[in-house]
Amino acid sequence: MRALTLVRYARALLLLALLSFGGQAFAQGDPLPSWNEGAAKQAILKFVETTTMQGGPSFVPPAERIATFDQDGTLWVEHPMYTQIVYCFERVPAVVKAKPELANVEPFKTVMSGNREAIAKLTTNDLVKILAATLTGMSVDDFRAEAKKWLDTARDPRWKRPFTELTYLPMQEVLKYLRANGYRTYIVTGGGQDFVRIYADEVYGIPPEQVVGTAAGTKYGYTKSGKPFLTKEPNLLLNDNNAGKVEGMYLMIGRRPFAAFGNSTGDRQMLEYTKAGTGERLAMLVLHDDAQREYAYGPAQGLPASKVGTFTQALYNEAIKQGWIVISMKNDWKRIFSFEP
Amino acid sequence: MRALTLVRYARALLLLALLSFGGQAFAQGDPLPSWNEGAAKQAILKFVETTTMQGGPSFVPPAERIATFDQDGTLWVEHPMYTQIVYCFERVPAVVKAKPELANVEPFKTVMSGNREAIAKLTTNDLVKILAATLTGMSVDDFRAEAKKWLDTARDPRWKRPFTELTYLPMQEVLKYLRANGYRTYIVTGGGQDFVRIYADEVYGIPPEQVVGTAAGTKYGYTKSGKPFLTKEPNLLLNDNNAGKVEGMYLMIGRRPFAAFGNSTGDRQMLEYTKAGTGERLAMLVLHDDAQREYAYGPAQGLPASKVGTFTQALYNEAIKQGWIVISMKNDWKRIFSFEP
């Protein structure tokens, strides 16, 4: 009786010790169940195995295990328009209401007209004015509250779901698999850092300090009652796209990633820089080639090169040349969304 | 016999389980042995206890446990000159050797002359030129290698030791104590982010991604053989001092700290912003009032207000008014350096 109690006790403690010593290492089963067997899935599994094998030639110490992910088009749907751009356009009426003098000023007049043809013709300069008017000039807390409210209610036109549900299940599995193996996962996005930080923790399990994005300045000031607060300013600090992604990682992380994931020409330098590091490095590109389950755009696809994440033939050629692995949504992903079978 | 083996086995497992479940919670003894008993030490202990007490009214979830530390004058000696400024001055000969045309250009000519009186009269504009010449224009890897080499050999004039040994033992204890209780410790310095990142991990156990400092831009480019690299540029992205510290924390961390430590007017806004958060917050200022064991500068001290971390009477008054706790090096610290008894 006494011995039996001890056996039970020892078993319970053994279980406890195993769990607390990183049960993941003992976990059974496929960490990437939404992936079809193939080169892409194998590359991810092999990368994690070799870089976490203590004593192996490609072992990476836990402190250096950094993996970076583009967001729009890599972790969630970016077509037909970046979510943040949708937010900015939908925010215009509130801005015009607060500043009625804008109602007759372009590009706000065109946006307010609702004329889709005219809106589609807006220039980059017009867009910059819309971004400045909707993303700056308010306190960081007010911005957060407004954008959060919008994200909770806005719906994607195709799936009729919150944008925050349109994440790719296979990529969510990659994030979790990497983290379970000691990698810290970062978002490195051309999108607004402030915007992405609002939902990244809830949606991806990525905390604000691990979101690097395009960032403008803030200005410290005080309320009438003397409480300090920050106002969002229009001066651009970091254009976190193309080479800016590498510059942004240097500024915000100070380390070179061991794995990087993207889907467009804006991610080229991030992948290039990642692969240029010593040891085992993983660079992957999501190719949108699934018109049925998501969208098809990119080289030799049905859709014309769009303004969102452009996957050109040149990028494809570069990937082949550099040993970056192209993920075919159509062939490599068994499931795309968690809400679909 | 069998039962005895099991008892031993169970004990071993219990120990294992305790250790892996955060043995710190069970650790005996004083976590701040270099501190004298007093209000400062008690404030730190009470802050950690109340913010980590599960179910308590001031409990802070682990993900939000952020503590920020100024560096120069707060974690290590800043008098009579910031270490990085010493580096920049001592680097001038190498810069002039590489670009001989600078030998007859001010302020390089004066620095090369070795005339201390003339050097002391250099203006802020002169200093900016020296910083630009010694901190920019090279690859980030070359800068790192050069500065690392210097740090390994340079000696402080008073203690004849590497600058990296002149850290305050009581503050090292605070860093460790906070980390052992789930806090992530950040450096938020007016000094150069790149410079501090070189040694922060080794000296304080603070990894590069947790160092926020004054930062200039970088530029992505390629070597002749096509290898990508970053060059340090002179354009200032973040002046991480005064209000810039709060703006820098917002950019780089995206969270408000629960505890902040400084020693000068440059830290005022960081402490103010920290204390303006909800719940239990800790703001502390190191007062240099120990002319014998370190230096005495600040209000009513022996030394005149210097260019390094200025602790004015106004700052002292503000601290008292706002409930920031002043740490007297003389009275609160039993030991100052690990190399002294």
Side-chain angles (χ1 to χ4, degrees), chain A residues 42-335:
Chain A
Q42 279 311 310
I44 300 166
L45 295 172
K46 182 174 161 284
F47 168 79
V48 169
E49 274 161 31
T50 56
T51 58
T52 58
M53 191 187 294
Q54 190 96 37
S58 303
F59 179 74
V60 178
E64 294 174 28
R65 291 184 197 162
I66 303 278
T68 57
F69 293 79
D70 169 60
Q71 202 212 195
D72 295 296
T74 299
L75 294 179
W76 77 2
V77 175
E78 66 178 350
H79 207 79
M81 204 186 262
Y82 297 128
T83 305
Q84 186 175 0
I85 302 294
V86 180
Y87 170 74
C88 291
F89 274 93
E90 297 200 356
R91 183 82 200 142
V92 166
V95 168
V96 171
K97 196 177 170 192
K99 292 185 187 171
E101 66 274 22
L102 290 180
N104 289 309
V105 177
E106 289 298 352
F108 306 100
K109 193 177 167 185
T110 294
V111 175
M112 293 299 286
S113 76
N115 180 336
R116 279 169 185 247
E117 236 172 275
I119 291 171
K121 281 182 192 152
L122 291 176
T123 64
T124 303
N125 269 349
D126 291 330
L127 189 59
V128 167
K129 282 178 194 161
I130 291 164
L131 297 188
T134 53
L135 300 175
T136 71
M138 71 290 285
S139 79
V140 300
D141 291 337
D142 284 351
F143 169 72
R144 190 185 177 82
E146 282 157 11
K148 179 93 179 64
K149 197 167 65 181
W150 182 83
L151 284 162
D152 287 346
T153 54
R155 294 292 180 272
D156 168 85
R158 176 167 164 188
W159 287 277
K160 320 286 184 210
R161 288 176 175 272
F163 291 98
T164 48
E165 287 185 17
L166 301 183
T167 69
Y168 306 133
L169 184 58
M171 294 306 288
Q172 291 273 20
E173 291 170 0
V174 173
L175 288 170
K176 288 195 183 92
Y177 177 50
L178 285 168
R179 289 199 291 259
N181 284 280
Y183 276 87
R184 267 165 303 145
T185 53
Y186 279 76
I187 287 176
V188 178
T189 175
Q193 181 170 287
D194 286 5
F195 190 77
V196 178
R197 279 177 170 177
I198 295 170
Y199 54 83
D201 206 351
E202 198 181 315
V203 172
Y204 304 114
I206 295 181
E209 63 271 23
Q210 286 168 217
V211 174
V212 179
T214 294
T218 54
K219 195 175 174 185
Y220 193 70
Y222 302 89
T223 63
K224 276 176 195 165
S225 63
K227 203 174 149 68
F229 72 101
L230 290 169
T231 301
K232 282 171 68 67
E233 297 281 294
N235 61 308
L236 192 67
L237 292 184
L238 176 62
N239 184 359
D240 198 57
N241 213 7
N242 304 307
K245 289 210 173 189
V246 178
E247 296 156 13
M249 293 191 296
Y250 180 75
L251 175 71
M252 306 276 294
I253 313 175
R255 301 186 192 263
R256 191 193 302 253
F258 276 81
F261 299 77
N263 80 303
S264 82
T265 51
D267 302 310
R268 191 177 67 74
Q269 288 88 343
M270 178 167 77
L271 269 57
E272 180 178 73
Y273 189 69
T274 299
K275 284 291 274 188
T278 54
E280 192 75 18
R281 309 268 171 168
L282 180 67
M284 302 189 85
L285 276 169
V286 174
L287 174 64
H288 294 259
D289 58 357
D290 195 328
Q292 279 218 308
R293 293 187 301 170
E294 203 240 13
Y295 294 105
Y297 50 100
Q301 300 301 325
L303 289 178
S306 73
K307 278 182 187 173
V308 293
T310 315
F311 197 136
T312 60
Q313 186 63 46
L315 183 66
Y316 192 90
N317 298 346
E318 185 78 8
I320 302 306
K321 189 176 147 198
Q322 303 288 348
W324 307 342
I325 292 154
V326 175
I327 300 166
S328 159
M329 292 183 75
K330 192 172 176 179
N331 301 319
D332 286 316
W333 288 357
K334 200 179 291 178
R335 290 175 68 190

Side-chain angles (χ1 to χ4, degrees), chain A residues 2-3 6-7 9-10 13-14 16-17 20-21 63 66 140-141 184 186 193-194 197 201 207-209 215-216 218-220 222 227-230 232 237 243 246-247 250-256 268-269 272-273 276, chain B residues 2-3 6-7 9-10 13-14 16-17 20-21 63 66 140-141 184 186 193-194 197 201 207-209 215-216 218-220 222 227-230 232 237 243 246-247 250-256 268-269 272-273 276:
Chain A
R2 174 114 193 251
L6 276 170
V7 169
Y9 184 56
L13 283 174
L14 181 63
L16 211 65
S20 47
F21 263 93
I66 303 278
V140 300
D141 291 337
R184 267 165 303 145
Y186 279 76
Q193 181 170 287
D194 286 5
R197 279 177 170 177
D201 206 351
E209 63 271 23
T218 54
K219 195 175 174 185
Y220 193 70
Y222 302 89
K227 203 174 149 68
F229 72 101
L230 290 169
K232 282 171 68 67
L237 292 184
V246 178
E247 296 156 13
Y250 180 75
L251 175 71
M252 306 276 294
I253 313 175
R255 301 186 192 263
R256 191 193 302 253
R268 191 177 67 74
Q269 288 88 343
E272 180 178 73
Y273 189 69
Chain B
R2 174 116 194 251
L6 276 169
V7 168
Y9 184 57
L13 282 174
L14 181 63
L16 211 64
S20 46
F21 264 94
I66 302 277
V140 300
D141 291 338
R184 267 165 303 146
Y186 280 75
Q193 181 170 287
D194 286 5
R197 279 178 170 176
D201 206 352
E209 63 271 22
T218 54
K219 194 175 175 185
Y220 192 69
Y222 302 89
K227 204 174 147 69
F229 72 101
L230 290 168
K232 284 171 67 66
L237 292 182
V246 178
E247 296 156 13
Y250 180 75
L251 175 71
M252 305 277 293
I253 314 175
R255 300 185 191 264
R256 190 194 301 252
R268 190 176 67 74
Q269 288 87 343
E272 180 177 75
Y273 189 69

Side-chain angles (χ1 to χ4, degrees), chain B residues 280-296:
Chain B
E280 192 76 16
R281 309 267 170 168
L282 180 67
M284 301 190 86
L285 276 170
V286 174
L287 174 64
H288 295 258
D289 59 357
D290 195 328
Q292 278 217 309
R293 294 188 300 170
E294 203 239 14
Y295 294 105

